[in-house]
Structures are given as C-alpha cells and as structure tokens.
Amino acid sequence: MAAAELTAHQLIAQHRPTLDQALETIRTRAYWSPHPEHPKAYGEDGSLGMAEGKAAFDALLGSRLDLGQPGTDDWVGGEVSPYGIELGVTYPHADIDVLLPAMKAGQRAWRDAGAETRAVVCLEILKRISDRTHEFAHAVMHTSGQAFMMAFQAGGPHAQDRGLEAVAYAYVEQVRTPDTAEWTKPQGKREPLALNKQFTPVPRGIALLIGCNTFPTWNGYPGLFASLATGNPVLVKPHPRAVLPLALTVQVARQVLAEAGFDPNLVALAAERPGEGIAKTLATRPEIRIIDYTGSTAFGDWLEANARQAQVYTEKAGVNTVIVESTDNYKGMLSNLAFSLSLYSGQMCTTPQNLLIPRDGIRTEDGPKSYDEVVADLAKSVGDLLGDDARANALLGAIVNPDVKARLEAASGLGEVALASREIRNPEFPDAVVRTPVIVKLDGAKPDAEAAYMSECFGPVSFAVAVDSADEAVELLRRTIRDKGAMTVGAYTTSQEVEQAVQEACLEECAQLSLNLTGGVYVNQTAAFSDFHGSGGNPAANAALCDGAFVANRFRLVEVRREA
Amino acid sequence: MAAAELTAHQLIAQHRPTLDQALETIRTRAYWSPHPEHPKAYGEDGSLGMAEGKAAFDALLGSRLDLGQPGTDDWVGGEVSPYGIELGVTYPHADIDVLLPAMKAGQRAWRDAGAETRAVVCLEILKRISDRTHEFAHAVMHTSGQAFMMAFQAGGPHAQDRGLEAVAYAYVEQVRTPDTAEWTKPQGKREPLALNKQFTPVPRGIALLIGCNTFPTWNGYPGLFASLATGNPVLVKPHPRAVLPLALTVQVARQVLAEAGFDPNLVALAAERPGEGIAKTLATRPEIRIIDYTGSTAFGDWLEANARQAQVYTEKAGVNTVIVESTDNYKGMLSNLAFSLSLYSGQMCTTPQNLLIPRDGIRTEDGPKSYDEVVADLAKSVGDLLGDDARANALLGAIVNPDVKARLEAASGLGEVALASREIRNPEFPDAVVRTPVIVKLDGAKPDAEAAYMSECFGPVSFAVAVDSADEAVELLRRTIRDKGAMTVGAYTTSQEVEQAVQEACLEECAQLSLNLTGGVYVNQTAAFSDFHGSGGNPAANAALCDGAFVANRFRLVEVRREA
C-alpha cells in the first residue's frame, strides 16, 4: 500500500457533512440533492463546464482507455452511438483468472478501513464523477440514445444521487452494530460473567455489476456503491453497447482508491468481445458473491436460478399500467401522460404501457368524455408535445437498438392505431433513429388483445385498453402486476372508492403507485432519497432502490469475543 | 373483527418500554434480558410456578390440543419423549387448501395495524409464553431430550429473548422509512414541485416455520416473530418429534391475536402424520413466501434450491473447530472445554467437534504439555465433570434419537478412543438413553482420518486432531469453515501471532470466534441482543440470529404519492 495522497481524515472532513445529510434525508424522505441538475451549474470549483465536458468526451473518441488493470490480454470495443457515430474507444479485455485474484488482494485492507472510511472514499469517487458530469452526459447520450438533457440529468446528478443513497444505506447498516461492546451478566452473589466483544462487518467477496444499455450509470451506481461501501471488490461488466459511462466510472474509482492508499483493483472493468457473452461465465464463478443486474426478464431469471453462490439483485421487465377512471384536471392529466409516454421514446422500465380506460368513458371537470375521445385527446396531446421537431428530439432521444424499432413497427399491426409513430429527423445526427410513440387501441375483453397488452413491449408503444368498469380495471391491474410485474402504476380518479381499490391492489400486489399526477412530476421518474424505484415484491424486480434489504446482505458481521 | 379485549393503546403502554430497551440493547450489545433465568423467579404476577407448570404439562399429556383452526380434517400425534414417556397429545391435521386461504384473510388488517401495534402484540404473545415458562420447560425437555434446567433456560427465557430480539429488529427496520413525507423540489423561479408520499410496509405473504427437534422454541422463535412482526401470517410446521412446544406457542399466539381484535388464523399449526413429510409440499406452495428452517444440510439445501418462490432462511449443519495452541489457564481451558463437549450430550449445532492440537504439544502456565497429555487431561476433565451421575444427568440430558446413538457408537471405531462414552442411568426416567461424550484421537495428516473429522458427526462425539503446527491448524480451520461451514469457532492461544491468524481466518471465512474462554461462558452459547448466532456467511447457515438482513426482506415498502 503506497502512502496515501488522500487521508481518511481529509476525506471524512470533506464528505462527512454530505453523508450526514444523506442519512438524514433517507429518514425524512424530503427533497435533497447535492448534485446540481442544471448544466450551467458546472464549470467552477474544478468541475468541467459545458465546453470542457464536450472536449473531454471528444478526446475519448477513438482512444484506448487503459485502466492499468492486471490480466489485460486484449483490447476490445465497438460501440456505435444510437446517434450514429462510432465511438471507437477500446477497453481492456481481461483474463479473469488473473483479474479476479488481483481484485481479492486489496479486500482485507478495504475491510479493515471500516465503514466510515469506505463511505467517504465512495463519496470522493462520486464527487469526481460529479465534476465530470458534462463529459459523462455525452458518454451516456451516445450509448443509451437519451437526448442530451436527459443524459445529463438522469445519467449525471440523478445517478450520482442514487449512488450516494446506496452509500448512505450501506453505511448506516454497518454501524447499527458497534465496533466493540462490553457484556456483563450478573450471577447473583458470584462474580458477573464479563466479555469483550468485537464486531466487524466483513465483505461477501467480489461483486459483479451487469450494466444495462439504457441507463448505464443510473441503474449501475446503486449496486456498485452498495457493494463497494460494504467492503466488496466490484467487477463492472457493462452492456456491450454502453461501455463508456461505466468504464469512465471504473477509471475514476481506481484513481480515487489508489490516491486514498487502497488497491485500485478493488474496482475493475470486464469488457467483452462481440458475442462473447461473458456475463454467464462471470456470474457463476465461485469468487462472485454478489450480482446486480438490470435487463431482460429471461436473463434475470437465469441469474436467479443459476448464480446460486451469489446474492442476486435483479431489475427485470414489467408491464406498467395507468388506470384512467376520472379526473378534475383533464388537460393536466393528458399533458402529464403525453410527457410520460414520450420521454426517451418510452425506453424506460418505468414508462406506462397499458392505459386502462372504461369503454363507457370517464368523468372530467368538463363533463363526460367517451373512451374514443380520451384516446383521441391523448393522441393529440402527444402529437402537440412532439409537434416541434427540435422539442421532439430533445424529449425523445434516439431509438437505442433495432429490436425496439422492430417492436415499434410491429405494434401498429396489433390493433387500431390511435396515434401513428412519426419519424423525426435529427439535424445534428442525421443517422439517429428518432420516432414518436404509437398508441394502439385494444379491447380488454378480446382474448387476442390480451396477448399484446399482457406482454412487455419495451419502447414507444402504448395500448389504450378499453375495460368494462373501474372494478375490471383494478382486477386487470392486479393480474398484470402479479403475472408480469410492474415498476410503476399510475391512476387518475376523483372517486374515493376507486382510489382505495387501486391503492389496496398496489399494497397487496406490491407496486409503487402515483395518483393523479397532472403537473411536473411523472409516473416514470423517481427521486433518490425519497422515492423507491421498484418494490422488490413483484416479478419486475427482486430489489428496490434503495432500502435496507438492498444493502443488509452484502456483508456479514463477524464477532470475536474474549473474557474481559 | 370482534371488539378487541386488548387495545393497541393498552398494549403499547404495557410493552413499549420493553421494546425500547430491546432497541437500545441491539445497538449497545450490552447484557440485558427481561426474561428471568431462575426457575424460582416464576410463580407470582400471574406466571406459573414450578409445581403449577408441572401440573399444566401433566394435564396436557394424553389430551387433544384443539387450536380451533379451520380446515382441520384429522387429529395426529405420537411424540415419545427421549426420556421414555409417550406424550399422547394430538394436534389438528390441516387441509392446507382450506387453511392457507383462511390464514390470508386477516393479513390486510394485520398489515394496516402498523409496525408498532404488531410489535406490541408480539410482545404480549412472548409475555404469555414467559408466564408459562415452567410448562414450556417440560414440553421442551420431553421433546428435545434436554435436561430440565437447560430446557427451562434455553427453551424458555433464552428463546423468548431471541423472539423479542427479532421483534425489535423487525420493528426498527419498518420504521426507518416514515409513514408519510412531504417532498418539495425547488424549480428556480417557477412554483416548486410538491408531492405528498405515503409509505406502507407490506407483508410478503404466508411465512412457513419448519421447526427442529433439538431447540424447537429457541431456533423457532426468531423466524416466527420476525415474520409476524413484519405483517406476515405464519404457518408453524414443527418437527414430528417436537410438536408440543410450538403447538403451545401457536395456541398462545392465536389467543392473543384474537383478544387484540385480529384474526387468530394469522398463526396456525401444520402437524403431520408419521412419514407424511409435508414440509416439501408446503415449502413449494405459491402462498408460502418466507421459510425459516433449522435442520439437516441436505433438506436446507433442497429448500434453497427448490422453494424459489420464497425467501429462505436456513440454519443447517457445520463442523465446529476449537484450536488449542497454548494457554495461560490450562485448568480453566480444560473445564471450559469439558463443559462445552458435555452440555446436552453435544447435541447443539454450536458444540465443538474438532479440537486441533499440535502434535508437538502446547505451552501452558505449568510448562509444556504433550498432545497425549492434553487429550488425556481433557478426557479426565470430562470424566470428572460427569463423574457424579446426578450431575451428569443434569448436564447431558437424553440422546434425542436413535441416529445420534448410532453415530456415537460408531465413533469409537474411527480412531484411538481417548475417552469412552459411558452409559448413565436416569433414576427418574429409566428409559432415557443417557450417554457421556466420546473423544477420539485422529492424526490430521492421515487421509482416512480426514473423512471422519471433515464430516459433521452431530452428537457427543469429538475428535482430538493432531496437527503439525499452529499454521496448519489455521489452514485446516479455514478449509473446514469454507467446505463444511461452522456455527462456532474457538481458540486457545497466548500468542499474538496465532490469535491474529485465527481471527483473520474467521473474518475471511466468516465465522464467529470465541477466544480463550476459561470461565462460565462457553463457545456453544450465545446471548440474544448481544451475540450473533451463526454468521450467514459460511455453509452452516445463510442467515444469522439476528441482524438487519434477517428481517429486511420479510416485507417490502409500497409508496403512494400524490401532488400536494
């Protein structure tokens, strides 16, 4: 271990107030974030400004990102931005029989550093990432296809918030038990029994983060930081189409670990050759004791069934429902829903898919609206929102991969098209595939329709499902959550009775509910420190971001006791 | 729901101070227990005294324990005490297709009662059990074969402590998130975004407790109370030879639930016909979402692999090691070890099995002792401890089943016998099978010896394994924990270096370590609120009693958010 440039003392002085504020906020669940959302907030105090961030990203293009990892036997890469440019960045390809043992070497010192030092080292990593938010924004944009502002916010401050939240949970979980205790048990007239006890949080072993294409940092940071903060080395296996944001994260983490006197190999990257499919191989290695995964249900289920040597945390796929029963703010409801369906071309695990609308129509403050009117008005609302190409590009981003495009194109064959998808030209990136959402009308009573709306159709596809009644909507909601899972549920109703029924369905089937959103908060967005992302209690995910269960089993407590 | 005889208000007034003290103690890990250990402490304030408890137990013999459960289709029983008497108690046999839905009926009201009310209802159940400790002591004695005093303490106050500890962990985990929050996010010059949020801990579903033969209450209460306190109905499936203590527990729980205005079917018993093996059937029912299990590795592994719809918490089997390297209190070490090997005829998951002793002998305050001397002195110490038949009976209890007796008898063929097992007559219960421990010498360097000491030999069998050095002992310790698991590790050494090496092995392999115990605390005993039982990080158990990980995933949090 080299002499540390950053001492624990310095890091604690610098970051402990932030940690304390995070600890306080996960208790109150009020609003808070130390990471500014506005691009113009960056550029001072050592952070990269807009132009510097862009320049830093441009400098990465075509480069070799040498992380200095042991066991590098090749250089691999091949990311092509959904906006059409080839990134040309190459990354170390690891001989895992060399890399994994090297990652274990620093585990003991990292364990012995204790929970607080680990927490502030993690906060330093997050601070350095935060300083490079503009650079990360381009990296997220050109791997996920998110529009710049979304890549900036969701890939930057919001992802950093989720990482910090995980560090806070990990820290508090580890310090619930004191480092030492004196235990004295009276024995009547005899001498009391007396023991000195030491309690040490010990890591499980190497954690594997399997990243996703659409939100490499936002979905990756919670698991990465939860594992690292609880003492585990972390091997980052990014999605082959979204390597850069996580590779930069690994780079920063390695730098900070080394500067703080720890082994940089505590965090490493496992990039792969095209088609190599190393996730399966890594996931079943005995050294891998924790896995965090975001992606398809099929591979998530495979991990849960096969990576039995590891604690497996999965976010898979679900079918998200919004019940539209009645509203006292029809316009607000339509514009809120239109935004939810459009944001990032519906390529969020939280985007509503099925809009359940009574076939007899709904009540509004402007009187009743028929099913057809509601669907037409929603279609118009989406159309208006995306009518201007510049705004459409800023909201939609690009279609992340050909599968999404294919599903979008097939969707119009599933029923009557209420809103056709429209191709939009991106003047800056002419090769980007940009599409507006399609809305398809389905009759909930028809069995052939069920095959469509009861499958996840990831991308800018929504179904306006006509149902017989509010009761039927709630029953279908229950069945959808139970059988398919749901990351989010929304409902619009002015009826106390329907609200209660929807709420009870969500409590019983375990799904997160947003009621009557008509303003600037959307069903598909959650805020760290306050909202839970997923519930961990329905098939869409076996964990929630972030709660005690997400961190408590990433370490164990070892007790050493001696007579006093 | 009938009018409650016990209001939440009354229960909170009565039990909140105890809950608060438990919450404080799991933070400090100092000594505390609200449950007296001494038999004479009972008999006032509504608790049964010694004679009353015995009379209550006698009255149970030959009776039908009608719990008033729905779906009872038969009456089953057949427990024979290890002390020779037939209990003759019959229990309801359930049609699980009737019982399971009935157990779900009260779940919503139990959920809506909230964490604090659930906690104090659990504390009232524990209080009623505590009042009947003398009766439970006989029930535990005559199912487990523990001697009376051990059955009284481990089956009574210590089990109640572990139950209370689980309630405390469950409570604090649920209230980490507030019931409601106001979230206001500034938007520069625009109106802030504002949401009201509600957070509700929701149960996973029916929990299944699969009880064990040797410690039906001590090993059963943590899971039972952790699940119940987090809102889940609990189905108790006792070991067929140890039904009575858990059936009485279910009876008390049902009474208290009903008096508090909840559905008594939230806790139910699943007794079985001989050879029916209902644990497998129950464990894979979709309604069962949590399983707590104590027992064989084979069935624990089966549960982990097959009960995929449930959260599975297992305590299986391990091979416990004590390293004997050096001591400054030779006599204290020998008497401490002798007690550990003798208590309950070694039928504890925490009893040491392998004593690793350098073949060149050890250092003591009386000068060096050869391997042969150490083994002979330990044999003498055990012999002296158990020389008096009355004391031997009080310490050993009875052999719990024929398998243990068979293993004991076979053990003398595994190597040179340093201490032969002796048959002891129990004057009160002449049919009881009472045996003193056997100590067998094995050479750690011989491959055929390894087959013996690397297998769990549950019962009064210990191996004095000669090893080349302290280093080899530590290496063998590591390998044993890693491959076979360990509930406990002990070590005797005056060498800082050896102590560090043993400690590091336990931290890395994740096992609980007791160092140089020479007084009245034994490696096989742990105290609730302070000691962790098992680590959850080696093959002996996937959970520890009790920590955050034991409770955090028994419920999930559902959020409902609305615009403010």
Side-chain angles (χ1 to χ4, degrees):
Chain A
M1 195 156 63
E5 297 166 48
L6 292 168
T7 67
H9 185 76
Q10 288 168 333
L11 290 171
I12 290 168
Q14 190 180 347
H15 295 300
R16 182 78 215 196
T18 308
L19 179 62
D20 286 337
Q21 186 63 54
L23 294 171
E24 172 66 11
T25 313
I26 59 176
R27 278 192 296 269
T28 65
R29 320 239 23 120
Y31 171 76
W32 175 69
S33 169
H35 303 116
E37 270 185 334
H38 201 292
K40 289 187 182 159
Y42 296 81
E44 291 177 13
D45 300 326
S47 68
L48 299 185
M50 200 171 301
E52 294 163 306
K54 177 68 165 62
F57 172 74
D58 287 342
L60 287 167
L61 299 177
S63 74
R64 167 175 291 184
L65 204 70
D66 187 348
L67 300 170
Q69 291 185 179
T72 298
D73 59 13
D74 197 0
W75 298 90
V76 294
E79 292 157 288
V80 179
S81 164
Y83 290 95
I85 61 173
E86 288 188 20
L87 304 195
V89 189
T90 56
Y91 308 95
H93 181 277
D95 176 345
I96 59 172
D97 291 321
V98 176
L99 182 58
L100 291 178
M103 293 183 71
K104 291 284 284 183
Q107 183 179 297
R108 179 174 173 179
W110 187 237
R111 178 198 75 199
D112 289 345
E116 188 179 32
T117 296
R118 284 194 294 273
V120 293
V121 169
C122 287
L123 264 60
E124 178 66 17
I125 296 169
L126 284 165
K127 173 67 172 66
R128 304 260 185 114
I129 291 170
S130 172
D131 285 346
R132 290 166 67 177
T133 294
H134 270 288
E135 181 185 359
F136 273 81
H138 292 282
V140 170
M141 174 181 172
H142 285 290
T143 49
S144 69
Q146 291 173 25
F148 177 79
M149 188 53 108
M150 183 174 181
F152 185 91
Q153 294 187 336
H158 299 173
Q160 294 150 23
D161 283 349
R162 283 285 178 201
L164 174 55
E165 178 188 54
V167 173
Y169 269 98
Y171 172 76
V172 80
E173 194 67 33
Q174 293 172 89
V175 300
R176 286 172 78 170
T177 304
D179 292 341
T180 60
E182 293 182 12
W183 179 88
T184 307
K185 180 176 177 178
Q187 296 290 292
K189 291 170 191 161
R190 287 174 291 150
E191 279 287 291
L193 300 174
L195 295 177
N196 290 332
K197 304 180 179 187
Q198 291 177 313
F199 301 96
T200 307
V202 300
R204 284 205 167 264
I206 301 174
L208 174 66
L209 169 67
I210 304 178
C212 70
N213 196 172
T214 47
F215 289 90
T217 56
W218 198 97
N219 277 98
Y221 284 2
L224 192 166
F225 284 100
S227 289
L228 191 61
T230 49
N232 306 279
V234 182
L235 181 59
V236 176
K237 205 301 285 177
H239 191 283
R241 280 196 284 258
V243 182
L244 186 56
L246 288 176
L248 293 176
T249 302
V250 169
Q251 186 182 46
V252 173
R254 293 174 62 86
Q255 281 164 355
V256 171
L257 284 164
E259 287 178 34
F262 297 100
D263 190 332
N265 295 324
L266 288 165
V267 177
L269 185 77
E272 60 193 315
R273 300 189 187 93
E276 192 179 354
I278 57 171
K280 277 196 178 189
T281 312
L282 290 172
T284 51
R285 289 280 296 212
E287 300 94 330
I288 300 294
R289 304 298 307 280
I290 300 170
I291 299 174
D292 285 274
Y293 168 75
T294 309
S296 73
T297 297
F299 192 58
D301 288 346
W302 185 91
L303 286 170
E304 290 174 21
N306 291 280
R308 304 293 310 287
Q309 85 292 352
Q311 303 285 320
V312 179
Y313 303 89
T314 57
E315 183 188 318
K316 300 174 286 190
V319 173
N320 302 319
T321 299
V322 175
I323 292 179
V324 179
E325 192 268 343
S326 54
T327 179
D328 57 10
N329 183 353
Y330 188 58
K331 209 167 167 183
M333 176 185 86
L334 293 175
S335 65
N336 186 284
L337 277 176
F339 188 92
S340 284
L341 301 183
S342 302
L343 185 64
Y344 187 27
S345 317
Q347 297 171 119
M348 299 173 75
C349 57
T350 50
T351 304
Q353 175 179 307
N354 294 343
L355 313 171
L356 310 188
I357 306 165
R359 66 178 79 249
D360 292 341
I362 71 169
R363 280 165 290 111
T364 79
E365 77 279 20
D366 297 333
K369 303 279 180 186
S370 71
Y371 165 83
D372 285 336
E373 281 176 297
V374 173
V375 179
D377 289 344
L378 178 61
K380 181 166 185 310
S381 213
V382 174
D384 289 351
L385 179 68
L386 304 174
D388 172 70
D389 276 9
R391 188 158 67 169
N393 273 304
L395 260 183
L396 295 167
I399 297 298
V400 66
N401 67 44
D403 291 346
V404 175
K405 182 163 171 271
R407 270 195 299 272
L408 169 63
E409 285 162 359
S412 56
L414 296 170
E416 183 191 338
V417 173
L419 177 69
S421 176
R422 190 164 72 84
E423 201 172 325
I424 305 230
R425 194 177 158 275
N426 185 317
E428 193 182 354
F429 300 105
D431 292 338
V433 178
V434 183
R435 295 289 186 279
T436 67
V438 63
I439 301 177
V440 177
K441 288 164 121 174
L442 293 174
D443 186 334
K446 294 210 174 136
D448 60 334
E450 182 168 326
Y453 67 73
M454 283 295 272
S455 307
E456 193 204 21
C457 189
F458 186 81
V461 178
S462 291
F463 300 117
V465 182
V467 293
D468 286 343
S469 64
D471 283 352
E472 194 192 88
V474 174
E475 194 43 48
L476 180 53
L477 168 66
R478 279 182 184 269
R479 190 154 56 89
T480 306
I481 303 171
R482 198 180 309 147
D483 295 350
K484 297 293 165 181
M487 294 301 292
T488 57
V489 175
Y492 292 89
T493 180
T494 57
S495 152
Q496 275 293 321
E497 198 186 335
V498 173
E499 182 174 315
Q500 277 302 312
V502 173
Q503 194 165 314
E504 185 57 27
C506 288
L507 289 171
E508 288 195 0
E509 304 302 336
C510 208
Q512 311 297 10
L513 173 63
S514 296
L515 274 168
N516 296 317
L517 297 184
T518 57
V521 176
Y522 305 96
V523 66
N524 33 351
Q525 293 177 324
T526 63
F529 312 112
S530 184
D531 294 318
F532 293 102
H533 174 73
S535 76
N538 71 57
N542 77 0
L545 304 179
C546 186
D547 62 9
F550 188 68
V551 298
N553 223 347
R554 291 176 194 260
F555 70 99
R556 306 303 308 162
L557 276 160
V558 171
E559 174 182 350
V560 179
R561 56 182 192 173
R562 301 166 169 82
E563 285 165 0
Chain B
M1 194 155 65
E5 298 165 46
L6 293 169
T7 67
H9 185 75
Q10 288 167 332
L11 291 171
I12 290 167
Q14 191 181 345
H15 295 299
R16 182 78 217 196
T18 309
L19 178 62
D20 285 337
Q21 187 62 53
L23 294 170
E24 172 65 11
T25 313
I26 60 176
R27 279 192 295 268
T28 64
R29 319 244 14 126
Y31 170 77
W32 176 69
S33 169
H35 302 116
E37 269 184 334
H38 201 290
K40 290 187 183 159
Y42 296 81
E44 290 176 14
D45 301 326
S47 68
L48 299 184
M50 202 171 299
E52 295 164 307
K54 178 68 165 64
F57 172 72
D58 287 342
L60 287 167
L61 298 177
S63 74
R64 167 176 293 183
L65 204 72
D66 188 347
L67 301 170
Q69 291 185 182
T72 298
D73 59 13
D74 198 359
W75 297 90
V76 294
E79 291 157 287
V80 178
S81 164
Y83 290 95
I85 61 173
E86 288 189 19
L87 303 195
V89 190
T90 55
Y91 308 95
H93 181 278
D95 176 345
I96 57 172
D97 290 321
V98 176
L99 183 58
L100 292 179
M103 293 182 71
K104 290 284 283 184
Q107 183 179 298
R108 179 174 172 179
W110 187 236
R111 178 198 77 201
D112 288 345
E116 187 179 33
T117 295
R118 284 193 295 271
V120 292
V121 169
C122 288
L123 263 61
E124 177 66 18
I125 296 170
L126 285 164
K127 172 70 172 62
R128 304 259 186 117
I129 291 170
S130 171
D131 285 346
R132 290 166 66 178
T133 293
H134 270 287
E135 181 185 359
F136 273 82
H138 292 282
V140 170
M141 174 180 174
H142 284 290
T143 49
S144 70
Q146 290 173 23
F148 177 78
M149 188 54 109
M150 183 174 181
F152 185 91
Q153 294 188 337
H158 298 173
Q160 294 149 23
D161 284 349
R162 283 285 178 202
L164 174 55
E165 179 188 54
V167 173
Y169 269 98
Y171 173 77
V172 80
E173 193 67 34
Q174 293 172 87
V175 300
R176 287 172 78 172
T177 305
D179 293 340
T180 59
E182 292 181 13
W183 180 88
T184 306
K185 180 176 178 178
Q187 296 291 293
K189 289 171 191 160
R190 285 174 294 150
E191 280 287 291
L193 300 175
L195 296 177
N196 289 332
K197 303 180 180 187
Q198 291 177 310
F199 301 96
T200 307
V202 300
R204 283 206 169 264
I206 301 175
L208 174 66
L209 169 67
I210 303 177
C212 70
N213 196 171
T214 47
F215 290 90
T217 56
W218 198 98
N219 277 99
Y221 285 2
L224 193 167
F225 285 100
S227 289
L228 191 60
T230 47
N232 306 278
V234 182
L235 181 59
V236 177
K237 205 300 287 177
H239 191 282
R241 280 197 284 259
V243 182
L244 186 56
L246 289 177
L248 292 176
T249 304
V250 169
Q251 187 182 45
V252 173
R254 293 174 62 86
Q255 281 163 356
V256 171
L257 284 164
E259 287 177 34
F262 296 101
D263 191 333
N265 296 323
L266 286 166
V267 178
L269 186 77
E272 60 193 314
R273 300 190 187 94
E276 191 179 355
I278 57 172
K280 277 197 178 187
T281 312
L282 290 172
T284 50
R285 289 277 298 211
E287 300 94 330
I288 301 295
R289 305 298 308 278
I290 300 170
I291 297 174
D292 285 274
Y293 168 77
T294 309
S296 72
T297 298
F299 192 58
D301 288 346
W302 185 91
L303 286 170
E304 291 173 20
N306 291 279
R308 306 292 312 285
Q309 86 292 351
Q311 303 286 318
V312 179
Y313 303 89
T314 58
E315 183 188 316
K316 298 174 287 188
V319 173
N320 302 319
T321 299
V322 174
I323 292 179
V324 180
E325 193 268 341
S326 54
T327 179
D328 56 12
N329 183 353
Y330 188 56
K331 209 168 165 182
M333 175 185 86
L334 293 174
S335 65
N336 186 283
L337 278 176
F339 188 93
S340 284
L341 301 183
S342 303
L343 185 63
Y344 187 27
S345 317
Q347 297 171 118
M348 299 173 74
C349 57
T350 51
T351 304
Q353 173 179 307
N354 294 344
L355 312 171
L356 309 188
I357 307 165
R359 66 179 79 249
D360 293 339
I362 72 170
R363 281 165 289 110
T364 79
E365 77 279 20
D366 296 333
K369 304 279 180 186
S370 71
Y371 165 83
D372 285 335
E373 280 176 296
V374 174
V375 179
D377 289 343
L378 179 61
K380 181 167 183 309
S381 213
V382 174
D384 290 349
L385 178 68
L386 304 174
D388 173 69
D389 276 9
R391 188 159 67 171
N393 273 304
L395 260 182
L396 294 167
I399 297 298
V400 66
N401 66 44
D403 291 347
V404 175
K405 183 162 170 273
R407 270 195 299 270
L408 169 63
E409 285 161 359
S412 56
L414 295 170
E416 182 189 338
V417 173
L419 176 68
S421 175
R422 190 164 71 83
E423 201 172 326
I424 304 228
R425 194 178 156 273
N426 184 316
E428 195 183 351
F429 299 103
D431 292 338
V433 178
V434 184
R435 295 287 186 281
T436 66
V438 64
I439 301 177
V440 177
K441 288 164 119 174
L442 293 174
D443 187 335
K446 296 212 173 132
D448 58 336
E450 182 169 326
Y453 67 73
M454 284 296 271
S455 306
E456 194 204 20
C457 189
F458 185 80
V461 178
S462 292
F463 301 116
V465 182
V467 293
D468 287 343
S469 63
D471 283 353
E472 194 194 88
V474 173
E475 193 43 47
L476 180 53
L477 169 66
R478 279 181 184 270
R479 190 154 55 89
T480 306
I481 304 171
R482 197 181 307 146
D483 295 351
K484 297 293 165 180
M487 293 301 293
T488 57
V489 175
Y492 292 90
T493 180
T494 57
S495 152
Q496 276 292 321
E497 199 185 333
V498 173
E499 182 175 314
Q500 277 301 313
V502 173
Q503 194 166 315
E504 185 57 26
C506 288
L507 289 171
E508 287 196 0
E509 304 303 336
C510 207
Q512 311 297 11
L513 173 62
S514 296
L515 273 168
N516 296 316
L517 297 185
T518 57
V521 175
Y522 306 96
V523 65
N524 32 353
Q525 295 178 324
T526 63
F529 312 113
S530 184
D531 293 318
F532 293 102
H533 174 74
S535 76
N538 70 57
N542 77 0
L545 304 178
C546 185
D547 63 8
F550 188 67
V551 298
N553 222 348
R554 291 176 195 260
F555 70 98
R556 305 304 306 161
L557 276 160
V558 171
E559 175 182 351
V560 179
R561 57 183 191 173
R562 300 168 170 82
E563 285 164 0

